[in-house]
Amino acid sequence: MRLLIVALLVAVATARLAPLSEVEYQRQFVEFTKDYSKTYTQEDFFNKFNTFKYWVDRVRHHNAGNESWEMGINEYSDLMPEEFNAIYLSPVDLSLSAPADVVEAEFNDANDIDWRSKGAVTPVKNQGQCGSCWAFSTTGVLEGYMKAKGGSLPNLSEQQLVDCAGSSGNHGCNGGWPSSALKWIAGNKGSCSESSYPYTGRDGSCKKGCSPVSGSAIGGARTGTGESTLGSQLNSMPVSIALDASGGFQSYKSGTFNGPCGTQLNHAVLAVGYTSAYWMVKNSWGGGWGSGGYIYMARGKNLCGMTNAMAWPQ
């Protein structure tokens, strides 16, 4: 009986990996272009089609294996990994510029934490083709901080940081650091709302017309490292983290992500909770990416260097 079960599993896996016909690739590509409103020049069309075929095959092979997470086709499936990384990941190293304030704080994880259920996390946003992940991670951590401290949940402006926080060493659409952005907000006596300073997804001149949201003035930034520190801070509020998103992130769909990834910190995101098995992480690539815009990352291995550069308000 055991041999029969193994044989059936092998047969199923083999069937799932059977090559697709060219007609099927074409059918799926047409659906993809409709689903994501894609249009291409005549010169780009066949290159994009071949890239899409690459992802279809890669997704199928990955999902046929015994993995803890699932890949999927999404709006980024017409970009090869190197193209995607060049557009959506930070061109600057997001490592902390100074030693962390908190290293391996004591952590009691008796209960799961999910700040979404506590009303401390805004809907998933989309940075577009601007390397402003650091700004989205910053607004996310400040929004959560304000709610966790007993206030209402604001929707803060990323564009204000893109345009104005260069004086703290950030580079707009060319990258930046949440810890530096929090320090800029402290010096600015707060952050403006999204509605008063809307996102454009490109570098612009700093506008001075909006007033900071009440309660958004902070004293500065705290920084930390280590998974126990992440858990300890998540017991109090969401946490800005930086990680290496150049491995499997592009096609992540669901499940507990276990890599592959390295430790070159090239993307800033927001940790919003944990279970005994994984960290809950909010991304800024839109709700169509991942699990509704989130990725669930395995605990216990500092996966993708995710606890090497963390920040939160003080």
Side-chain angles (χ1 to χ4, degrees):
M1 177 61 72
R2 183 177 180 181
L3 290 176
L4 177 59
I5 293 174
V6 172
L8 288 172
L9 291 174
V10 171
V12 169
T14 302
R16 291 175 70 187
L17 291 174
L20 298 180
S21 68
E22 192 68 12
V23 171
E24 179 60 19
Y25 282 121
Q26 292 172 3
R27 184 195 68 78
Q28 291 191 28
F29 186 60
V30 169
E31 289 299 315
F32 168 77
T33 59
K34 290 180 179 177
D35 289 344
Y36 297 105
S37 302
K38 300 282 188 174
T39 57
Y40 307 114
T41 65
Q42 186 174 357
E43 291 78 10
D44 284 342
F45 183 85
F46 287 106
N47 178 53
K48 294 298 185 181
F49 176 52
N50 286 328
T51 298
F52 177 78
K53 288 169 65 176
Y54 162 85
W55 279 113
V56 169
D57 289 342
R58 184 167 173 181
V59 167
R60 290 172 65 243
H61 279 267
H62 174 90
N63 291 347
N66 185 27
E67 302 289 346
S68 63
W69 63 282
E70 183 182 4
M71 281 186 172
I73 296 298
N74 57 37
E75 66 177 294
Y76 307 113
S77 298
D78 57 356
L79 296 171
M80 292 299 288
E82 58 273 18
E83 295 178 285
F84 177 85
N85 294 348
I87 296 171
Y88 293 100
L89 301 187
S90 175
V92 299
D93 185 349
L94 298 180
S95 300
L96 295 175
S97 58
D101 298 329
V102 182
V103 181
E104 295 296 344
E106 185 176 349
F107 174 36
N108 179 358
D109 62 347
N111 300 302
D112 294 348
I113 291 289
D114 186 344
W115 284 101
R116 294 172 296 182
S117 67
K118 298 175 182 292
V121 184
T122 55
V124 172
K125 303 177 184 182
N126 195 332
Q127 68 188 68
Q129 295 188 8
C130 168
S132 54
C133 59
W134 60 276
F136 285 82
S137 183
T138 303
T139 58
V141 76
L142 182 52
E143 289 162 352
Y145 172 84
M146 292 170 65
K147 177 64 177 180
K149 294 300 181 182
S152 58
L153 178 68
N155 188 4
L156 301 177
S157 172
E158 294 80 26
Q159 192 65 43
Q160 183 184 31
L161 296 175
V162 170
D163 292 350
C164 306
S167 59
S168 293
N170 300 297
H171 306 289
C173 284
N174 290 312
W177 294 265
S179 57
S180 297
L182 287 171
K183 292 173 184 177
W184 181 86
I185 291 171
N188 191 58
K189 303 294 190 292
S191 171
C192 291
S193 68
E194 177 72 29
S195 60
S196 66
Y197 205 137
Y199 189 65
T200 65
R202 59 183 182 273
D203 291 317
S205 58
C206 183
K207 301 175 179 61
K208 304 292 187 180
C210 63
S211 299
V213 174
S214 176
S216 64
I218 55 175
R222 297 295 305 276
T223 57
T225 59
E227 285 200 66
S228 62
T229 302
L230 174 58
S232 176
Q233 292 305 313
L234 280 172
N235 285 341
S236 300
M237 68 187 81
V239 178
S240 168
I241 64 174
L243 44 70
D244 186 335
S246 57
F249 265 61
Q250 180 179 351
S251 58
Y252 171 81
K253 181 179 180 182
S254 63
T256 302
F257 184 73
N258 269 298
C261 55
T263 56
Q264 179 181 345
L265 305 184
N266 52 30
H267 191 49
V269 288
L270 183 71
V272 300
Y274 62 79
T275 69
S276 60
Y278 56 76
W279 305 106
M280 305 170 190
V281 177
K282 179 188 181 186
N283 203 350
S284 54
W285 294 341
W289 173 88
S291 182
Y294 286 82
I295 185 170
Y296 303 102
M297 301 185 65
R299 283 179 56 175
K301 55 176 67 176
N302 191 28
L303 189 63
C304 309
M306 64 180 293
T307 66
N308 290 352
M310 302 182 292
W312 57 92
Q314 68 173 4

